[in-house]
Structures are given as C-alpha cells and as structure tokens.
Amino acid sequence: MSHSINDFIESIEDSLITLRRELHECPELGFTEYVTTYKIGRELEKLGFDLSIGKESMISQSRLGKPSEDVLVANENRAREMNVPNDWLEKMKNGNTGLVAQLDTGIPGKHIAMRFDIDALPIFESKEDEHFPYQEGFYSKREGVMHACGHDGHAAIGIGVAHFLHRYKENLSGRFTLLFQPAEEGGRGAKPMVEKGWLDSVDYFLSGHIGIHSLPVGEIAATTTKFLASTKYNVVYKGKSAHAGLEPNEGRNALLAAAAASLHLNGITRHADGATRVNVGKLEAGTGRNIIADFAKMEIETRGETTALSDYMREEALRILKATPILYDVKEEIDIVGFAPSAECDSEWVDIVQKACHSSERIKNVLPVLPLGASEDVTFMIDHVQQKGGSATYLVFASPLPAGHHHPCFDFDEKVIPTAVEALGRILLKLTKKL
C-alpha cells in the first residue's frame, strides 16, 4: 500500500503545482473568490463529488465584513470576463463564494470533514528577481492582491485530497465532506459554513496550514496550539470640514480623533492571564492640507490568547473608540466585521498522525505540536465539532519560508503540496481502519 500511495502522489504532483500557480496568478479577496471557486469546482466535478456551490454552501446572512455592492459587481464582471459561466455566477452572486464537496463511499463508517481556505490578501506582490513566483512568471496579475499566506497551496492540497479519495474510495468507509472556505482572512468565512450544518454530524475534522514555521519540507505537526482569538473592526469618525487658516474653530477634526484613538488603543493595559494584541492596520483621513478633516476611517483588530482575553481587549477597544470622539466632538460608526474564537486540538491526533505516516518516504518527522501564534477562523469549526462530540485537529505542513506570512515576498516550497496530500490521505486511511 505504501509504495502505491507514493506512486499515486507522484502521478498527480505536477497537476497540483500547476493548479497552485494558476490560482496564485489570479488571487481574490474574501467573498470575491469567483474564479477560484469555479476552478476548484470544475476539478471536483470531474472526480464525481456532489457539490454545494456558493449560496448552497453557507448561511449568507451570517457573513461579516461583506464587501460593498460596487466591489462585488466589479468582481462578478471580472469573473464573467474570465469565462466563469453565468449559472455558476448566479449561485455565487452577491459574494457567496466557496463550495462544499461530498463523497459517500456507500459503506457504513465515520463522517470525516476537512477544510481548505481559498482567499488572498490586499498586498502588492514583489517583483524582485529573487522572488520565485516572479522568476517563473506566475506572480499575481492583479495589482494589489496576492496569495501571501499559502491559501493557493491549501486549495491545491484540497484538490489533491479529492483525487486521493477518488482513487482509494474502495479502501475507505463512511463519508467525506470537503469545505473550500472563502474569507478566512479577517475571520469571516467559517461561521456561515458552520451554521449551514455541514459539521453537525462529523466524527473527525482536519484542517491545516502551509509554513507558519520555516522548517524543511517533510516535517509536519500533528496538532497546533496558541490560536489567538480575534475581533476585527471598521471604524468611521465623522466631523465637520472648515478652512484651516480662516476659521479652524468652525471645524471638528476627525483626523485628530482617529490619530488619538490609535495611540490610546495601543495603550490598553495588557492582561496578567496571557498574551493580548491590538493593531490599527489602516487609517485614512482628510482631503487636503488646508482643510479640517471631516472624515476618518480605521481598520483595527484585537486579539487574545484565549476567547476571554480577546473579549477583554474588545471591550477595552470599544470603550476607547467610543470615548475618544467625544473629546473632538465628532461622531463614530463602529462595525465589527470579523471574529474568531480560540480553540484547542484534541490530543489523540498525535498518535493517529504518527502511526498513519510512519511508513511514508516523504514525511520525515511528525512533531506532536507547533504553536500558531495567530488567529484562524477554522476555530469555529474545531469548536463546533468538539461541542457535537467529534474530534478535531489543525496540522502544520512545514516549508522553508523566504519571507514571513503576509509579506510581499512570501512563498513556499511547492514540494509541501504533495507532502500534505500524502499526510492527509494516510490519516484518512488510518481513521477508516484500512491502513
């Protein structure tokens, strides 16, 4: 069996890398992944999966941070120009991207679910000669949007797992649900899928991430710790414009209010019970040097090592964001546009993964655990499965990293894709008692 698995993974490796590169060239932000969803869906259709596309895959009303109507229409038109069929676009209309694929072996057994995130980031990709995607010509062709966190690789891994299930269906029992999730960045896409009910009867849940730690390909971690719970905010301050020289006293300065709030947020007292974070990632204000700024917009996040610590940071941040505008006599509008709780992997996965992968030639070392140290809305899924009596884990698939995640030079060793597919495939066989 081990030899045949190795041969099979080798047979699909090139096609998975080609798919990764296609997705990398056309990155799409959360809830605008129209082309990405279509490409993934077409591959899954060939393999005989039952698909639930777009609006069929989630509770639309549960989405946070949905893009504006203008942004959605522009991206739907872009997808149409890129030959996404109208019947697919209708199912994904209004930012309902992503899909769920199901396969039933017809043999009684466990229900196993896996999640693969598919969205990109608002980052200008590097065009430096040493940046591998630029060297090879598959760098982002969408200025200001980039797969800078490996989600293009995650989508390719998901397709690889689908190929594995198709190939080894006769060796498996039970049923399988693959969730290709939009809008992980910002903590927006998991909750609407959870609320659709896909994970209500799941016995085992797996997800994972490329990179995180710069380690050789072939090392994987069976579990992950230190998921930081997080809340995301869009904040608008509205004041009154005036001539900065002639009558500054008539103005109400939204720019100063936002700047003051930014400083006060970073002064939140840290908590004795664990790590906390706050970041004002974007601030836009004003229209000209001689005009009192009547408008300011901030994009902010807070995090905590636990959900309780995240709640503490959120309440402190909201107190500051509501109090500061009073000092400057401006009005505030505060929208929470994303959220992810903390979570813990089940410890049994260390033994499961180590035993499943012990005979693999690609997987050199299975670490029991690695810390994440960031936020991931997969925690909604982990928590839901555990609350329903199932078991869940989040793996790390190591790769050397020339630059950190969310960096213009981010990239990974593409050999991690077949390594992750093999790891997940072997785990599936182990869980169904066939290996």
Side-chain angles (χ1 to χ4, degrees):
M1 175 71 80
S2 290
H3 184 67
S4 66
I5 290 174
N6 184 64
D7 290 345
F8 173 70
I9 299 296
E10 285 186 359
S11 73
I12 63 172
E13 179 176 342
D14 288 347
S15 66
L16 296 181
I17 290 174
T18 296
L19 174 62
R20 179 262 164 152
R21 295 185 178 191
E22 288 179 4
L23 297 177
H24 192 90
E25 281 190 70
C26 183
E28 297 174 293
L29 300 178
F31 296 132
T32 69
E33 306 97 326
Y34 297 105
V35 177
T36 303
T37 297
Y38 175 64
K39 284 181 177 289
I40 291 168
R42 291 292 292 136
E43 292 295 320
L44 293 166
E45 282 182 332
K46 298 173 188 175
L47 299 171
F49 282 79
D50 293 326
L51 301 187
S52 297
I53 301 161
K55 286 177 277 190
E56 302 165 346
S57 72
M58 66 179 70
I59 300 296
S60 299
Q61 299 91 324
S62 296
R63 291 173 297 163
L64 292 173
K66 189 182 79 170
S68 69
E69 185 68 22
D70 289 346
V71 168
L72 293 174
V73 170
N75 279 279
E76 287 167 14
N77 289 336
R78 174 184 57 81
R80 189 172 290 106
E81 291 171 0
M82 296 184 70
N83 300 316
V84 177
N86 285 329
D87 59 335
W88 278 73
L89 286 173
E90 184 58 35
K91 291 180 179 180
M92 297 186 285
K93 189 175 178 61
N94 197 30
N96 289 281
T97 46
L99 57 83
V100 174
Q102 294 180 293
L103 178 69
D104 193 332
T105 66
I107 301 171
K110 302 296 186 181
H111 181 191
I112 302 174
M114 287 163 281
R115 178 277 221 160
F116 309 93
D117 44 4
I118 64 174
D119 57 322
L121 287 154
I123 291 176
F124 287 85
E125 183 161 11
S126 171
K127 294 181 181 178
E128 298 176 6
D129 290 340
E130 59 268 27
H131 182 51
F132 183 72
Y134 185 69
Q135 284 180 14
E136 297 297 313
F138 67 91
Y139 63 95
S140 172
K141 302 308 187 291
R142 300 191 64 217
E143 197 75 4
V145 186
M146 176 189 175
H147 272 295
C149 201
H151 297 187
D152 49 340
H154 298 170
I157 291 167
I159 294 299
V161 170
H163 277 278
F164 191 98
L165 291 171
H166 178 75
R167 167 64 177 80
Y168 289 98
K169 181 178 178 180
E170 294 182 0
N171 301 86
L172 299 164
S173 62
R175 56 195 179 101
F176 300 87
T177 299
L178 309 183
L179 299 99
F180 289 85
Q181 181 206 309
E184 183 280 321
E185 301 293 352
R188 300 175 289 156
K191 187 171 182 284
M193 283 189 152
V194 169
E195 293 188 1
K196 189 69 174 180
W198 301 111
L199 304 178
D200 288 355
S201 62
V202 165
D203 298 291
Y204 296 110
F205 174 81
L206 304 93
S207 189
H209 210 298
I210 288 171
I212 306 298
H213 301 271
S214 190
L215 296 168
V217 171
E219 293 204 17
I220 67 174
T223 63
T224 305
T225 57
K226 295 189 177 179
F227 288 96
L228 299 181
S230 181
T231 305
K232 319 296 184 182
Y233 322 76
N234 284 347
V235 180
V236 171
Y237 285 168
K238 294 182 178 180
K240 178 184 177 184
S241 61
H243 193 292
L246 185 63
E247 48 181 6
N249 54 292
E250 291 296 321
R252 297 197 299 274
N253 200 317
L255 184 155
L256 291 180
S262 299
L263 294 175
H264 292 315
L265 286 167
N266 279 278
I268 293 175
T269 301
R270 295 304 184 256
H271 204 287
D273 290 347
T276 54
R277 304 279 190 272
V278 61
N279 187 56
V280 181
K282 186 175 182 180
L283 194 162
E284 298 176 341
T287 56
R289 71 178 74 249
N290 61 348
I291 305 166
I292 302 294
D294 66 342
F295 177 88
K297 179 180 179 181
M298 294 180 285
E299 296 183 9
I300 302 165
E301 66 171 18
T302 54
R303 304 181 193 241
E305 191 173 341
T306 65
T307 302
L309 286 167
S310 179
D311 291 345
Y312 162 78
M313 291 298 290
R314 181 177 65 249
E315 293 308 310
E316 286 296 289
L318 289 173
R319 180 176 62 82
I320 288 169
L321 291 169
K322 292 175 181 178
T324 305
I326 296 173
L327 296 172
Y328 293 85
D329 195 21
V330 302
K331 304 296 184 183
E332 84 277 359
E333 294 178 0
I334 302 172
D335 291 322
I336 292 180
V337 295
F339 172 73
S342 60
E344 293 184 8
C345 298
D346 290 291
S347 60
E348 66 175 317
W349 288 94
V350 175
D351 185 61
I352 292 170
V353 177
Q354 288 178 341
K355 287 181 177 177
C357 298
H358 77 279
S359 61
S360 169
E361 296 178 9
R362 280 187 186 80
I363 302 161
K364 308 297 184 184
N365 186 29
V366 177
L367 302 166
V369 62
L370 281 174
L372 183 68
S375 304
E376 234 282 16
D377 74 349
V378 73
T379 51
F380 275 111
M381 298 183 176
I382 292 172
D383 182 67
H384 186 82
V385 169
Q386 292 170 336
Q387 292 293 328
K388 295 288 185 179
S391 181
T393 193
Y394 188 84
L395 297 97
V396 174
F397 307 109
S399 169
L401 302 175
H405 292 262
H406 297 203
H407 187 282
C409 292
F410 176 82
D411 191 30
F412 56 84
D413 186 332
E414 291 174 322
K415 290 292 184 182
V416 74
I417 295 174
T419 301
V421 173
E422 180 173 340
L424 291 169
R426 286 178 174 274
I427 293 167
L428 297 181
L429 288 169
K430 177 68 176 175
L431 293 173
T432 55
K433 312 297 184 186
K434 297 292 183 180
L435 185 62

